[in-house]
Structures are given as C-alpha cells and as structure tokens.
Amino acid sequence: TLVQPEHRIPADHPIRRIKALADAELARLSPVFDRMYADRGRPSIPPERLLKACLLIALYTVRSERQFCEQLDYNLLFRWFLDLGWDEPSFDASTFAKNKERLLAAEVARRFFEGIVAAAKRARLLSAEHFTVDGTLIEAWASLKSFRPRDETPGDRPPPDDPGNPTVNFHGEKRGNATHVSTTDPEAQLARKGGKEAKLCFSAHVVMENRHGLCVALSVGDANPATERTEAVRLLKTLRRRGFRPTTVGGDKGYDTQDFVAQVRALGIAPHVAQHITRHRGSRIDARTIRHPGYTVSQRCRKRIEEIFGWGKTIGGLRKSRYRGRKRTGLWAYFVGSAYNLLRMAKLLPVPVPT
C-alpha cells in the first residue's frame, strides 16, 4: 500500500501547528496574491508554496534555494508542508529566485510577518505595553576586497595576479564609508560591533514584546550607530499605528543618549534603558525612572532579545546575508522573523483536545 506523507509526520511534531498557523495567514493574504499574478502566461510557483518554502529554509537551516529545490525531491516533510503530491515536480531554482521579486514588489513578506504578529495578539500571547529594542549587524554578501575608493575607475586598478582571488594589500591605506564603497554591494557599509573586526554589513533592528519574547517589529537599515536609535523610534511609532500601546521600552547602554531618551519620552513611553555612566558624562536615565520596580523587570526581560538574534543567525541564516542589497536582505529578515514567531507560537499555544 502507498503511504501518504501525512502519515509519516508525528502527530505531536511542532511543524504541524506551524503549518496550520501559516496556512491560516496565507488564506487571509489570498486577495494580495490574486493581484500579483496575471491570468495568462506560463504557470508559476504558487505564492503560498513560495512563502512556505521560505519558512522551511529558515526553520531547517537550508543553505540556499538551489539546495532546497534539490531536497524537495526526496524530503517527505518538505513536500507535505508545501502540499505537493508524489508525482509533482520540484521547483526550478532559477524560477524560484525570479518569483521572489514579486514578493519583494508587493511587500508580501512584511504583510505575512505582521499577520503572524496579529495572530499572536489575538491569541493573547503579546504584551501590548512593555517592549525591548536592540540592533545587530548582518554581514553583507561582499568581500572587503571589493571596498574600493569612490573616485577610482576600472583603469586605475592594476591587473589582478589571480582573477579568481586577487591579492589586495590595504596596508597603510585609510578606508571609510565616506571615501570608499563596495563594488559588489554598494549599499553595504563598513562597520564593527563588540570590539570585533570591521566588515561590510547591514544593520538589523528588532522590537520584542516582554511577555513571551516574540518579535513584533523589525527592519534592516544602514550599518550606522545612529541608525540603531532612529530605527528603534520609527518601529515604536509603527507599533502604535498597528494598535499597540507602548508604555515602557527596554534597551542596552547604546540607547542611553539624549536624543533617544527625549524622543521616546515625547511619545509617552518610559525609557527603561541601561545606564551608561563614564568619567566624562552621566546617564540620561535618572532616579525618576530607575526607582520603579518596572525598570528592574524591563532590564531583566531585555536580555531575551538576544535569543531572537541568536536563533536568526545560527538557524535562520541571517549571520551573513545571502542576497545583495538592503531590500532583499530585509525580505529574508521578515521570513526569519516569521519563522521564529511561528516556532514560539507552536510551543506557547494550548494543544487542542482531540474529539
């Protein structure tokens, strides 16, 4: 007898709940998909399968879309998750990549992420008032060898000793984002964090709710220290438009600046950020804030945001971008954020009682 993939997936496997949650949100996005695709022309990958394929790539740490298309030929769980029949062919890697351009143009990844957050809110898994902000760096898909002077022309460069891996000597040369740009990815910027070496990067910004540590807002921007604070303020304003009522926001010492604290207080939000006191300056967070018990709670909860960054980089493939450009990197960040939230929701939601 022929055994269906449905019978090979354990009944208590969390992927079953993830699939149910994802299918419910994709059904809500069906009108958006109808506007994306024409009625005529060659058949394309259904957008529902395309989005769920991206979730699988993030959940199972698949290295590339080409590798995923290869695994789809023999992985029963993947075929079951995408509702692919036994006799249906796998995706073509090039078609897979081209169809993602439609998702980028219609902002489907952002809509899907916000829909998952809304589902978590309806299930009462989110705090509507207490949040944490933080940022990290995503290494760009560009080598430091491509970081060349802005006024340099191809004729100024000497012929490479090895076309595949040329030797480049930067000794004694002063390089910076104002004078140099990457020829591979012009949007990437030279940056470093935590005392590590400088690399070409983008910055990722996350807002976490403090009840269960779910990611409720995210963005990808320039690798600039000031961007970390401006994006945090922008994301908090976005949460308000989506029905949240932030009253406190936690953060590390990098957010203890005069402009960030003033902007957050102007929004009616208490800045529960860690104090940064040095010999030359004092903290912008005074006793009016730290005396409240809620400040201690926010400082304890804010460290959980590192779990989002840790999972996104080690499992979701965000340590180094697999795409060029800020928009495409942001597209993948939304998929990783959605996958993280779905995995958390599958564990947090009560298990339905079988009838």
Side-chain angles (χ1 to χ4, degrees):
T1 59
L2 186 63
V3 180
Q4 296 296 325
E6 168 74 22
H7 301 140
R8 304 298 301 170
I9 311 299
D12 58 348
H13 200 295
I15 197 67
R16 287 186 175 274
R17 308 200 72 191
I18 292 174
K19 183 178 187 297
L21 291 168
D23 286 341
E25 180 56 28
L26 290 172
R28 189 188 68 84
L29 289 175
S30 182
V32 179
F33 299 145
D34 292 340
R35 293 192 298 267
M36 287 169 52
Y37 287 79
D39 297 332
R40 297 177 295 176
R42 296 174 57 187
S44 181
I45 300 175
E48 293 86 354
R49 288 180 176 176
L50 189 60
L51 263 74
K52 291 201 291 185
C54 292
L55 290 177
L56 287 173
I57 292 173
L59 288 168
Y60 287 91
T61 324
V62 183
R63 186 176 66 248
S64 66
E65 294 161 359
R66 187 170 297 277
Q67 187 184 61
F68 175 82
C69 294
E70 177 185 333
Q71 292 188 19
L72 192 57
D73 273 331
Y74 54 81
N75 193 313
L76 296 181
L77 187 146
F78 285 7
R79 299 186 76 85
W80 166 81
F81 191 84
L82 299 181
D83 299 312
L84 274 177
W86 285 101
D87 55 345
E88 291 188 68
S90 176
F91 303 151
D92 180 77
S94 59
T95 307
F96 191 98
K98 291 178 181 178
N99 277 265
K100 289 185 70 176
E101 294 297 323
R102 296 180 178 178
L103 301 183
L104 186 63
E107 296 187 331
V108 171
R110 178 186 59 80
R111 294 168 185 257
F112 181 76
F113 170 79
E114 292 178 355
I116 296 300
V117 173
K121 186 178 180 181
R122 291 192 297 270
R124 300 182 181 275
L125 296 178
L126 302 181
S127 168
E129 300 175 342
H130 306 292
F131 299 91
T132 298
V133 295
D134 203 358
T136 189
L137 294 178
I138 302 174
E139 187 178 348
W141 191 261
S143 169
L144 282 174
K145 295 180 180 180
S146 69
F147 201 54
R148 308 296 302 177
R150 291 181 178 272
D151 56 355
E152 183 184 70
T153 61
D156 297 336
R157 306 174 196 169
D161 54 349
D162 182 356
N165 188 21
T167 301
V168 180
N169 185 8
F170 296 117
H171 184 71
E173 181 182 350
K174 194 172 182 178
R175 297 181 297 162
N177 294 316
T179 57
H180 289 62
V181 65
S182 170
T183 57
T184 304
D185 190 345
E187 294 184 352
Q189 291 184 330
L190 195 66
R192 64 178 177 179
K193 196 173 186 180
K196 298 182 180 180
E197 69 277 10
K199 295 181 179 179
L200 292 171
C201 300
F202 299 105
S203 61
H205 313 276
V206 164
V207 179
M208 177 194 75
E209 57 82 33
N210 289 355
R211 180 177 298 171
H212 288 116
L214 290 170
C215 175
V216 293
L218 62 87
S219 67
V220 171
D222 298 329
N224 188 317
T227 306
E228 192 170 30
R229 295 181 289 274
T230 56
E231 278 296 299
V233 173
R234 188 186 68 82
L235 291 176
L236 289 172
K237 292 179 180 178
T238 302
L239 285 180
R240 279 191 163 183
R241 292 193 295 269
R242 287 161 52 189
F244 291 91
R245 304 181 307 277
T247 58
T248 67
V249 57
D252 57 26
K253 294 180 180 180
Y255 294 92
D256 186 9
T257 62
Q258 184 173 358
D259 58 344
F260 178 78
V261 171
Q263 291 180 67
V264 168
R265 282 178 173 159
L267 294 173
I269 305 172
H272 287 183
V273 301
Q275 290 184 301
H276 187 200
I277 302 175
T278 67
R279 293 174 54 189
H280 306 289
R281 51 153 282 184
S283 173
R284 301 300 186 269
I285 306 299
D286 52 24
R288 293 178 301 170
T289 301
I290 64 175
R291 67 183 179 182
H292 295 289
Y295 178 82
T296 304
V297 175
S298 294
Q299 284 298 296
R300 184 173 66 249
C301 291
R302 73 171 177 85
K303 300 175 183 178
R304 296 185 61 187
I305 200 169
E306 298 298 337
E307 297 178 13
I308 299 176
F309 292 139
W311 190 92
K313 290 187 176 184
T314 58
I315 306 299
L318 265 184
R319 185 178 302 278
K320 183 170 183 175
S321 176
R322 62 186 71 189
Y323 305 104
R324 297 178 184 176
R326 188 170 59 249
K327 288 186 177 181
R328 287 177 175 80
T329 303
L331 174 78
W332 184 247
Y334 277 122
F335 284 126
V336 173
S338 299
Y340 178 84
N341 284 345
L342 286 169
L343 185 60
R344 292 281 295 143
M345 291 168 65
K347 298 177 181 179
L348 291 170
L349 289 171
V351 179
V353 179
T355 58

